[in-house]
Amino acid sequence: MGRWGWRVYVAVSRIASASKSINNPNLSRHPLIRSQNSPLISRPRNYFSSFRHFSALPASPPYVEEFDSRNNDFDANKILEELFEDDEAGNISVRAFFLCTSVDLKSMQAENSKHVIPPTSRSSNSIILRFCGPPWETCFCQRGAAGNDMRCYRYMVVYQYGSTILFNVEDHEVDFYLQTVRQHASGLLTEMRKDDYAIKEKPLLVEDMQGGLNHIVLKNLDMDSIRIIGSVLGQSIALDYFVSQVDGMVEEFAQINRAMQKTGTFTMDRKKLFQLVGKANSNLADVILKVGIFDRSEIAWRDAKYAQILDYLREEYEVAQRFGNLDFKLKFVEHNIHFLQEVLQNRKSDLLEWCIIILLAIENIISICEIVRDSIGS
């Protein structure tokens, strides 16, 4: 029996038990059926006061009136809604990690070919792996009702630029899956970045999706939803890393400017400046080309409900605004680089001018010596 079958079974059991209690004389004591206006202690009803005249039609039993008056408080749909609303079993944890700057997807796909899910778009910067569970745990995923349940498996979305998104993975299982990525990674970071999110499934949801605090509510979670959510979380965690790199450069230039304010000069060799230029340009190129901030999603292009999820998550994580801040900081770094380049160029020009002056002075001295020698010899 699947998890939704078990929920329906529990709901039907609750409805059946509530229906049976309607014929109970102690009906007013039942918390689900008792009306708000009914007293806590039921009083015995005087059926002789409600005596009816004889008629050709059969008289209704006296308890039918009680059933009709109190059946309004019994709502099966409300019980179902409360059951699905309060159940936390539909929550799926999502964990985003940025642990390196590059991943060899081809070698990783070749090594884990039996776990790879075929892509549905032409994008080649990511792969999705589906695991039944870590090797030290027993897998209960079977074909059938339980096998169609997305929560029965662990999903790992790996991106070429270094982001890894884990779906339905517990804390003690994270290292096992990340170690699989590290075997094919290059440029490992000394400090790994991570972020947590959550997905809630509610099949009774009227809309396709609904936003919440640090979670998203979906009517149905499928592979395309995993791809959309993983892409936004991967871009977000990668942006955190590149923003930190640019913040480091901004702080370095801020220290240079403060030193120039005190001393009127700065000490930086040309090689160090060129390294900063290369670092700034490479960060901007990685964000645009590798991370793909402005790339179009084919899944969202084909179906409007996935476009709604994509737009909501990009707005929730402020991807466009954060890229705008990153671009502004890079422009500040670029402005400082141009200024320092001009200062170093002026220093080089001054050095060349002094070299020319010294050479001319030496030439003049030699000429004067020759003139003096010739005059003395004559």
Side-chain angles (χ1 to χ4, degrees):
M1 181 182 295
R3 64 187 179 95
W4 296 119
W6 176 253
R7 290 185 179 185
V8 172
Y9 172 75
V10 174
V12 171
S13 301
R14 292 178 58 183
I15 294 173
S17 62
S19 300
K20 292 179 181 179
S21 62
I22 292 176
N23 296 328
N24 192 343
N26 297 327
L27 178 65
S28 59
R29 299 177 185 178
H30 199 285
L32 292 177
I33 309 301
R34 186 181 65 242
S35 175
Q36 295 179 357
N37 298 325
S38 61
L40 294 178
I41 302 176
S42 60
R43 299 178 180 178
R45 185 172 179 177
N46 188 2
Y47 293 102
F48 294 98
S49 62
S50 59
F51 180 80
R52 297 184 181 183
H53 298 284
F54 291 100
S55 174
L57 296 176
S60 300
Y63 57 81
V64 173
E65 182 182 355
E66 185 178 0
F67 174 82
D68 295 336
S69 63
R70 294 179 178 179
N71 192 32
N72 296 329
D73 296 334
F74 176 73
D75 191 353
N77 294 329
K78 185 176 181 181
I79 294 179
L80 286 173
E81 292 178 0
E82 292 178 354
L83 179 64
F84 286 106
E85 184 72 22
D86 297 336
D87 189 12
E88 296 296 333
N91 294 357
I92 299 176
S93 62
V94 184
R95 307 173 193 273
F97 300 91
F98 191 83
L99 63 158
C100 61
T101 56
S102 180
V103 179
D104 189 355
L105 297 181
K106 292 184 178 180
S107 63
M108 187 174 183
Q109 184 174 359
E111 184 176 341
N112 303 275
S113 58
K114 63 179 181 179
H115 301 292
V116 176
I117 296 179
T120 58
S121 62
R122 293 172 295 179
S123 179
S124 59
N125 71 331
S126 66
I127 60 173
I128 298 182
L129 305 177
R130 179 173 61 187
F131 299 92
C132 185
W136 62 82
E137 292 185 0
T138 305
C139 181
F140 296 98
C141 300
Q142 299 176 356
R143 294 182 180 180
N148 295 329
D149 189 359
M150 299 294 289
R151 297 188 304 115
C152 187
Y153 297 96
R154 277 77 164 167
Y155 294 88
M156 181 170 64
V157 187
V158 184
Y159 293 89
Q160 190 272 334
Y161 54 82
S163 292
T164 301
I165 316 300
L166 302 178
F167 291 83
N168 196 29
V169 176
E170 301 296 335
D171 292 336
H172 64 279
E173 304 173 354
V174 170
D175 292 336
F176 168 74
Y177 294 103
L178 293 183
Q179 186 61 31
T180 305
V181 181
R182 291 190 182 97
Q183 295 175 359
H184 307 275
S186 59
L188 291 173
L189 306 181
T190 57
E191 183 179 357
M192 180 177 60
R193 296 183 172 273
K194 59 182 179 179
D195 191 11
D196 294 332
Y197 201 64
I199 302 173
K200 295 184 178 181
E201 275 189 292
K202 291 185 179 180
L204 298 181
L205 191 67
V206 178
E207 303 174 350
D208 292 328
M209 58 128 326
Q210 183 179 353
L213 181 60
N214 203 26
H215 72 274
I216 185 172
V217 183
L218 299 180
K219 189 174 183 179
N220 182 28
L221 179 65
D222 52 13
M223 291 308 305
D224 288 336
S225 301
I226 289 179
R227 289 185 174 93
I228 291 294
I229 296 173
S231 65
V232 178
L233 293 181
Q235 291 175 353
S236 175
I237 198 70
L239 269 179
D240 288 342
Y241 168 75
F242 290 112
V243 168
S244 65
Q245 295 295 308
V246 176
D247 288 342
M249 289 187 289
V250 170
E251 180 61 27
E252 188 170 356
F253 281 111
Q255 293 178 0
I256 294 174
N257 292 329
R258 285 192 289 266
M260 289 177 60
Q261 182 180 1
K262 295 179 180 180
T263 61
T265 183
F266 75 98
T267 57
M268 175 181 287
D269 56 353
R270 198 175 186 86
K271 181 180 179 181
K272 178 65 175 178
L273 183 61
F274 284 160
Q275 288 177 346
L276 291 176
V277 173
K279 186 176 182 180
N281 293 334
S282 63
N283 284 332
L284 183 59
D286 290 342
V287 172
I288 296 176
L289 299 178
K290 291 184 178 181
V291 180
I293 294 294
F294 301 105
D295 291 349
R296 186 190 67 179
S297 175
E298 296 184 10
I299 299 175
W301 182 265
R302 292 195 301 262
D303 198 332
K305 69 178 182 179
Y306 299 116
Q308 183 182 4
I309 297 174
L310 179 63
D311 294 338
Y312 169 76
L313 289 177
R314 289 177 67 89
E315 184 67 24
E316 179 72 14
Y317 281 92
E318 300 179 348
V319 176
Q321 294 86 338
R322 289 160 62 192
F323 177 79
N325 296 333
L326 177 67
D327 186 54
F328 177 78
K329 294 177 181 179
L330 285 174
K331 288 181 179 179
F332 171 78
V333 172
E334 182 181 0
H335 173 74
N336 282 269
I337 288 174
H338 285 314
F339 170 74
L340 296 180
Q341 281 181 336
E342 291 180 357
V343 172
L344 292 177
Q345 186 66 30
N346 291 334
R347 286 183 178 180
K348 186 176 180 180
S349 300
D350 294 341
L351 179 61
L352 293 176
E353 289 176 359
W354 278 107
C355 290
I356 293 173
I357 291 173
I358 292 174
L359 291 176
L360 290 176
I362 293 173
E363 184 180 3
N364 292 332
I365 292 174
I366 292 174
S367 300
I368 292 173
C369 291
E370 290 179 353
I371 293 172
V372 171
R373 186 184 60 185
D374 293 339
S375 61
I376 294 176
S378 59

